[in-house]
Amino acid sequence: MELITILNRCHRCRGFVYHHARFSPDHRTIEVSVRPRKGSAAICSRCHQPAPGYDQLTERRFEFIPFWGFLVFLLYAMRRVDCRRCGTVVVEEVPWGDGKRTLTKAYMLFLARWARRLSWKETAQAFRTSWDKVFDAVEHVVTWGLEHRTLGQIDAIGVDEIQYAKGHKYLTLVYQIDIGITRLLWVGKERTIESFQGFFATMGEQVISKIVFICSDMWEPYLKVIREKCSEALHILDRFHIVAKMNKALDEVRAEETRRMRREGRDPVLKKSRWLLLKRSENLGDEQHFRLRDLLRYNLKTVRAYLLKEAFQQLWDYNSPAWAGKFLDEWCRQTMRSRIEPMKKIARSLRQHRELILNYFRAQKLISSGVVEGLNNKAKVTMRKSYGFRTYRVLELALYHSLGKLPEPESTHDFF
């Protein structure tokens, strides 16, 4: 009777009354009978207006939030209505259910909230339900959230990709990275021009036209689509990827020189020096500092490439786009004279994208890819938490659910 009292206090089910509760024969579940209140009219599930009754269907079971370790089911015989507005006979709308789903709205919201904290498998095991029902719950909440989210004013977006399966399969992710709000806006299957164009089609011209800043890497298809769709926005190249490409070039020089020294029978002075060279100097320990100091005494291509890489870090200390541009030009000139081909390749790329790099300073260094990389790490944690998802649809729902900051449907039952 205490359970019936709690449920009947819910003000969002005024057209119905919880009649009585009983234990199942195995005493593992509680079944609560629901009846329409006397004189209440059924609601058409299409136009959401009262309609005259037509007939009654057989009793259905709706799974509710577990109480005191017992599984709880609501039992209700759905009515059909003869709706004159819709011109057809349809099943009534009930406040606790959604179409043909067997889970109540309150239970779906309950499971979806826990699925954001635990893996979906752990959520299913904890509440003695199935993985498929957790999927249904998350799909319901995410679908509702996408339909009811308010995009509002979006000033800055970040574009990046992450690998989600074996075989070089990638997702294109677009985030809102405004100061004060960061969230996932869109997930695109594959890393293609067509996929990225889907974001602009989904957001609409009204939202896209107000974007002020765009942060991305140097992948040419991204640059092309941004030039076509968002030419008025200030396009900022991803600082993280510039440094990553430079580290990759330095590692190529080190690996090639190590192989050459081994072939010539020289002392392996570069052995186990990879992370010694790739780490920032302020992140090295005392012993590593001594080792790096000894290494820099050698006249090696790797040492010269390392010094160029370290000198480039000074670029980010400038505030003026003009002075940053002068430094960048001088660095590229010195690098092109270094006769180190991987570093020269980086210099040619930086010259090609010079204006996009300087946009970082024109934006007063307020917009960077650091936020995007942080969100990407959260996306990877979401995938690792369940040891990978088997289909793109499930992964898409999980990412929106974890990173989208979507509104949630109002629950029919409040217990707190």
Side-chain angles (χ1 to χ4, degrees):
M1 293 304 296
E2 183 178 352
L3 174 59
I4 295 297
T5 302
I6 294 173
L7 294 176
N8 277 325
R9 285 176 179 171
C10 177
H11 64 278
R12 299 184 187 90
C13 296
R14 288 177 179 170
F16 302 87
V17 60
Y18 298 94
H19 191 251
H20 66 271
R22 63 175 182 271
F23 282 102
S24 62
D26 59 2
H27 287 268
R28 297 181 62 183
T29 63
I30 300 175
E31 297 175 340
V32 180
S33 295
V34 184
R35 299 286 185 269
R37 291 187 184 275
K38 187 175 181 180
S40 64
I43 305 298
C44 174
S45 56
R46 290 191 178 182
C47 64
H48 312 293
Q49 299 296 323
Y54 181 77
D55 63 3
Q56 196 170 36
L57 302 176
T58 56
E59 193 172 65
R60 284 179 57 184
R61 289 162 59 93
F62 298 87
E63 194 169 350
F64 194 67
I65 301 172
F67 270 31
W68 308 305
F70 295 98
L71 299 179
V72 179
F73 292 89
L74 306 183
L75 308 182
Y76 179 67
M78 304 285 285
R79 296 171 289 179
R80 292 202 298 173
V81 298
D82 185 7
C83 184
R84 308 296 166 76
R85 298 180 187 85
C86 302
T88 184
V89 176
V90 297
V91 179
E92 70 172 319
E93 178 183 77
V94 291
W96 64 82
D98 178 36
K100 295 183 179 180
R101 297 180 188 270
T102 59
L103 304 182
T104 60
K105 292 180 180 179
Y107 193 31
M108 286 191 288
L109 183 57
F110 177 84
L111 285 177
R113 286 173 175 171
W114 275 105
R116 194 180 287 122
R117 298 174 175 86
L118 307 175
S119 72
W120 294 10
K121 182 179 180 181
E122 290 171 330
T123 302
Q125 291 174 341
F127 299 103
R128 292 162 55 190
T129 187
S130 67
W131 185 95
D132 291 326
K133 290 182 179 179
V134 177
F135 167 80
D136 287 341
V138 174
E139 184 178 42
H140 167 75
V141 171
V142 169
T143 301
W144 191 94
L146 290 174
E147 291 174 353
H148 293 83
R149 70 174 173 177
T150 303
L151 294 175
Q153 175 68 37
I154 299 177
D155 293 325
I157 63 172
V159 186
D160 207 348
E161 73 284 337
I162 60 171
Q163 185 177 359
Y164 75 97
K166 295 181 180 179
H168 298 287
K169 294 183 179 179
Y170 293 91
L171 297 177
T172 299
L173 304 179
V174 182
Y175 303 101
Q176 181 179 0
I177 55 173
D178 290 351
I179 298 175
I181 177 170
T182 57
R183 58 175 173 171
L184 176 65
L185 291 176
W186 185 80
V187 180
K189 191 176 183 181
E190 300 177 351
R191 186 195 186 202
T192 61
I193 291 178
E194 293 76 13
S195 175
F196 189 30
Q197 286 174 337
F199 163 73
F200 296 96
T202 302
M203 293 295 106
E205 182 64 30
Q206 186 176 0
V207 173
I208 297 301
S209 62
K210 297 179 181 179
I211 294 177
V212 182
F213 305 105
I214 298 179
C215 188
S216 76
D217 59 21
M218 290 186 285
W219 196 50
E220 187 57 37
Y222 282 169
L223 305 183
K224 180 180 179 181
V225 175
I226 291 171
R227 283 194 300 266
E228 292 176 355
K229 301 291 186 179
C230 219
S231 58
E232 298 299 322
L234 193 65
H235 187 186
I236 303 168
L237 277 190
D238 190 339
R239 171 179 170 177
F240 172 85
H241 283 87
I242 294 173
V243 175
K245 285 181 179 293
M246 196 162 296
N247 284 338
K248 184 178 179 181
L250 171 60
D251 202 39
E252 289 178 12
V253 176
R254 180 201 58 81
E256 173 59 31
E257 194 163 30
T258 300
R259 289 191 293 267
R260 181 170 56 80
M261 294 174 71
R262 187 184 300 116
R263 288 195 303 267
E264 296 174 356
R266 298 166 60 184
D267 292 337
V269 295
L270 293 175
K271 188 176 181 180
K272 296 183 179 180
S273 64
R274 182 185 184 189
W275 299 113
L276 191 69
L277 297 168
L278 295 182
K279 278 186 177 181
R280 294 290 301 274
S281 59
E282 57 266 26
N283 296 330
L284 297 175
D286 292 338
E287 184 179 344
Q288 290 175 317
H289 272 295
F290 288 124
R291 220 186 132 205
L292 178 61
R293 186 186 61 184
D294 293 337
L295 184 61
L296 294 180
R297 294 173 180 173
Y298 293 91
N299 183 22
L300 299 172
K301 278 189 176 181
T302 302
V303 172
R304 296 200 300 273
Y306 171 80
L307 294 176
L308 287 171
K309 191 256 305 187
E310 286 297 301
F312 183 81
Q313 300 302 323
Q314 185 181 341
L315 173 70
W316 312 116
D317 296 332
Y318 286 95
N319 294 319
S320 166
W323 285 106
K326 290 181 179 180
F327 174 85
L328 182 61
D329 294 339
E330 178 61 22
W331 185 91
C332 290
R333 187 185 64 80
Q334 292 181 8
T335 303
M336 293 302 293
R337 296 172 58 186
S338 68
R339 294 184 294 179
I340 304 174
E341 188 54 39
M343 299 302 291
K344 290 169 65 176
K345 183 179 178 181
I346 292 293
R348 286 192 290 267
S349 178
L350 295 180
R351 281 178 171 176
Q352 181 183 354
H353 301 100
R354 180 181 186 276
E355 293 305 312
L356 299 183
I357 296 172
L358 296 182
N359 283 342
Y360 172 70
F361 303 95
R362 297 186 182 108
Q364 299 179 353
K365 302 166 70 171
L366 295 175
I367 304 297
S368 71
S369 60
V371 178
V372 176
E373 293 306 318
L375 292 169
N376 271 352
N377 288 334
K378 290 183 179 179
K380 293 173 184 176
V381 169
T382 300
M383 292 188 289
R384 284 200 302 268
K385 192 165 58 176
S386 293
Y387 300 97
F389 294 104
R390 294 188 178 183
T391 66
Y392 165 74
R393 175 59 177 166
V394 179
L395 176 57
E396 180 186 32
L397 291 174
L399 292 176
Y400 275 127
H401 189 48
S402 299
L403 305 175
K405 296 184 180 179
L406 301 174
E408 293 181 342
E410 189 177 18
S411 176
T412 54
H413 298 78
D414 290 333
F415 302 104
F416 300 98

